[in-house]
Amino acid sequence: MMIEALILVTVASAVAVMFADDERAGRLAFGLSLLPLVGSLLMFLGFDGSGNALLGGEIAYETQLSWITLGDLEVGYHVGVDGIALSLVVLTTVLMSLALLSAWTPIDERQSQFYGLMLFMEASLLGVFTALDFLAWFVAWEFVLVPMYFLIGIWGGPRRKYAAIKFFVYTNVASLVMFIGFVALVFGLPVNTFDLPTIAQSLQAGELGSLAGIAPETLKAVAFVAIFAGFAVKVPMVPFHTWLPDAHVEAPTPVSVILAGVLLKMGTYAMLRFNFTMLSDQAQAFAVPIAIFAVVSVIYGAMLALGQQDLKRIVAYSSVSSMGYVLLGLVAYNLYGLGGATFQMVAHGLISGLMFMSVGVVYNVAHTRMVGDLSGIADRMPLTATVFTAAAFGYMGLPLMAGFAGELYIFLGGMQSTALPYAPIFTALAMFGIVIVAGYLLFAMQRVLFGPFEADTDHEIVPAPVTDRIAIVALVLLVILLGTAPDLIYGMIQDAVQPILTIGGGL
């Protein structure tokens, strides 16, 4: 019952914070967020699962009960984790606690509602990563959108309403497309259930029949495209990425941390579960187009970042580029590729969270994020400058940092892939993204942090508050820890992705 306890404690915490006084809401929310954090760490230490949750593996912390009967269709309450899901559960709880801590300075109105919505979003994210029944998973998936819409729309910047509506419309339409594709697939199966392991194993056993006169192979291909397109918006993959920069720029810093660190991982996590696990034949059939989209996302996202002046917009576009690497790892479809993609989800979650938090610290002090308005602030904010530099090097894939390990696994997978035609060429092209990343990050670092001090702002540049310093230093330590000891999670990730390759013939 660990997962139930984790989610219920988070929901109860959200309700408690909603009714708390504004003055105490921030401290109360951070204190209560430590409960799911400690719970997820206990789950990590006591993890005894093995294999893949959808492919007959031993599911840890599993609960399965009957829930709803819709005619012949059984809807169950089924939760549990394998190595893939647990890595993202821990990432969610860690980033949420640090994001709440960093919110104490910038959030100065309607605090109880802000912190309550953040905790509601955490509960929904935990549901996404632990649900093993499609309906329960879809409910959690959609519930994530609601608090994020209000968090951007109420506490965001001048164009917050536009950004919030754009975010909601894009992701909601994508959810609808994905839902139609997956449900059509389910109704082609002889099993009358939404249980994801049962559906996955039934599809792999070749039990899919025709639906409305559509042949099974055509149905699988159409469903694959619909599901993939729905998740591609969430990643986001070029050309479905345009909602992301607006959402990031307008969102307050703690929301940007969760948006980049966890919400984007929902898309690639779902692709791994649905497209690359359940529909492995179609994943390999569409490998080349997906690889093209991945490489375009890497290069185009990096080029867009290179032309920006707003630090937040630079980090936002760089996230589009980084998620292209994750997509390339998935389509490589071997142990290094799938394992590296999953590892990179966690690594990018930490590094992007660190980048947004560093930018937020600068903005809270200087009240500007424009590269041209700042110069030489390292003298006034040495710790923030050090952390910003560490985050930038993490993005560039500096050895001994988490990003290096993730990208190395993906590149090894890409070079050795037998499932993706022309895999070495796609991988080599994607590697050029690192050069572009280094270019725009070094430019931003040099201009903002070093040189003679200048600040086109009426606010005095002073060191960041202690809560912000604790949050960013903790994230730096986690990035280095995962970079120097990737086996902390890579072993259990490998164990969970190995069965996918066995059924997909990728080895």
Side-chain angles (χ1 to χ4, degrees):
M1 301 297 284
M2 281 293 291
I3 292 174
E4 289 81 359
L6 212 62
I7 295 174
L8 286 175
V9 162
T10 309
V11 171
S13 301
V15 174
V17 171
M18 278 279 190
F19 289 98
D21 296 334
D22 276 355
E23 291 182 359
R24 297 190 305 123
R27 290 170 177 77
L28 181 63
F30 172 70
L32 291 173
S33 74
L34 297 179
L35 297 175
L37 172 59
V38 171
S40 70
L41 293 177
L42 290 175
M43 287 172 63
F44 178 76
L45 294 174
F47 178 69
D48 60 354
S50 63
N52 189 289
L54 301 192
L55 300 174
E58 292 293 328
I59 302 171
Y61 310 106
E62 182 181 21
T63 303
Q64 187 169 16
L65 302 168
S66 295
W67 182 20
I68 305 170
T69 300
L70 302 171
D72 295 332
L73 190 63
E74 291 289 336
V75 179
Y77 172 80
H78 191 186
V79 296
V81 292
D82 58 9
I84 299 170
L86 185 56
S87 302
L88 295 168
V89 166
V90 175
L91 172 70
T92 302
T93 58
V94 168
L95 271 187
M96 183 57 74
S97 290
L98 295 177
L100 291 174
L101 188 62
S102 72
W104 290 11
T105 302
I107 304 302
D108 56 5
E109 61 178 3
R110 304 171 74 172
Q111 289 99 326
S112 59
Q113 295 169 30
F114 176 87
Y115 291 110
L117 287 171
M118 288 285 280
L119 288 169
F120 272 125
M121 187 162 59
E122 181 180 19
S124 303
L125 289 167
L126 293 174
V128 169
F129 296 131
T130 57
L132 293 173
D133 183 273
F134 177 73
L135 194 60
W137 175 87
F138 188 74
V139 169
W141 178 274
E142 290 297 286
F143 271 175
V144 172
L145 305 184
V146 179
M148 180 57 77
Y149 168 79
F150 286 113
L151 287 165
I152 296 174
I154 296 175
W155 288 273
R159 298 176 72 239
R160 56 186 179 275
K161 291 182 179 177
Y162 167 77
I165 292 172
K166 189 174 182 180
F167 160 78
F168 195 86
V169 170
Y170 263 68
T171 52
N172 205 31
V173 170
S175 297
L176 178 63
V177 172
M178 177 273 297
F179 183 86
I180 293 172
F182 189 77
V183 170
L185 196 66
V186 168
F187 282 104
L189 290 170
V191 291
N192 296 316
T193 179
F194 276 142
D195 186 64
L196 293 178
T198 304
I199 293 170
Q201 291 164 41
S202 183
L203 284 169
Q204 292 304 324
E207 296 175 359
L208 183 68
S210 60
L211 179 69
I214 302 174
E217 287 306 312
T218 304
L219 180 60
K220 287 170 74 174
V222 172
F224 180 91
V225 172
I227 295 168
F228 184 86
F231 295 146
V233 174
K234 187 75 81 180
V235 171
M237 181 187 79
V238 174
F240 306 114
H241 66 288
T242 59
W243 63 269
L244 183 69
D246 291 320
H248 270 310
V249 168
E250 299 304 323
T253 296
V255 178
S256 288
V257 170
I258 299 301
L259 178 60
V262 187
L263 256 73
L264 305 190
K265 312 307 173 295
M266 290 168 58
T268 45
Y269 169 79
M271 280 183 182
L272 177 58
R273 289 296 200 202
F274 290 79
N275 292 100
F276 291 89
T277 300
M278 296 186 184
L279 300 166
S280 53
D281 291 344
Q282 282 62 43
Q284 294 182 51
F286 286 99
V288 171
I290 295 172
I292 292 172
F293 279 120
V295 173
V296 169
S297 295
V298 169
I299 303 296
Y300 186 64
M303 293 296 291
L304 288 173
L306 193 60
Q308 305 302 316
Q309 285 291 315
D310 186 324
L311 285 171
K312 244 188 171 184
R313 200 172 277 272
I314 290 174
V315 183
Y317 279 120
S318 68
S319 290
V320 175
S321 180
S322 296
M323 295 309 290
Y325 288 122
V326 176
L327 197 55
L328 184 64
L330 292 177
V331 79
Y333 214 79
N334 55 21
L335 197 55
Y336 278 131
L338 293 177
T342 308
F343 185 91
Q344 183 67 358
M345 291 182 211
V346 180
H348 179 263
L350 296 174
I351 295 172
S352 62
L354 180 59
M355 282 293 286
F356 276 112
M357 218 173 273
S358 303
V359 172
V361 168
V362 172
Y363 180 75
N364 293 340
V365 173
H367 291 257
T368 179
R369 299 188 301 261
M370 304 307 290
V371 173
D373 292 344
L374 297 166
S375 175
I377 65 171
D379 288 341
R380 310 293 175 92
M381 305 176 70
L383 179 61
T384 303
T386 303
V387 169
F388 190 96
T389 304
F393 281 130
Y395 250 111
M396 296 178 209
L398 189 75
L400 303 182
M401 304 189 82
F404 173 77
E407 291 177 3
L408 180 61
Y409 290 136
I410 289 172
F411 293 150
L412 288 173
M415 285 297 180
Q416 297 177 357
S417 176
T418 56
L420 172 63
Y422 315 112
I425 296 175
F426 285 118
T427 308
L429 289 173
M431 286 179 175
F432 279 102
I434 295 178
V435 179
I436 305 173
V437 167
Y440 63 72
L441 287 178
L442 287 173
F443 161 74
M445 281 171 48
Q446 181 64 36
R447 181 68 180 84
V448 173
L449 303 181
F450 306 115
F453 173 74
E454 292 178 22
D456 187 10
T457 171
D458 296 332
H459 297 80
E460 185 182 1
I461 306 298
V462 296
V466 65
T467 50
D468 286 355
R469 282 182 274 171
I470 291 172
I472 56 179
V473 169
L475 271 176
V476 169
L477 294 177
L478 288 171
V479 169
I480 295 173
L481 175 66
L482 211 54
T484 52
D487 277 347
L488 281 174
I489 63 168
Y490 191 63
M492 66 182 193
I493 288 173
Q494 273 191 319
D495 184 54
V497 300
Q498 178 86 40
I500 301 174
L501 302 171
T502 304
I503 56 99
L507 284 176

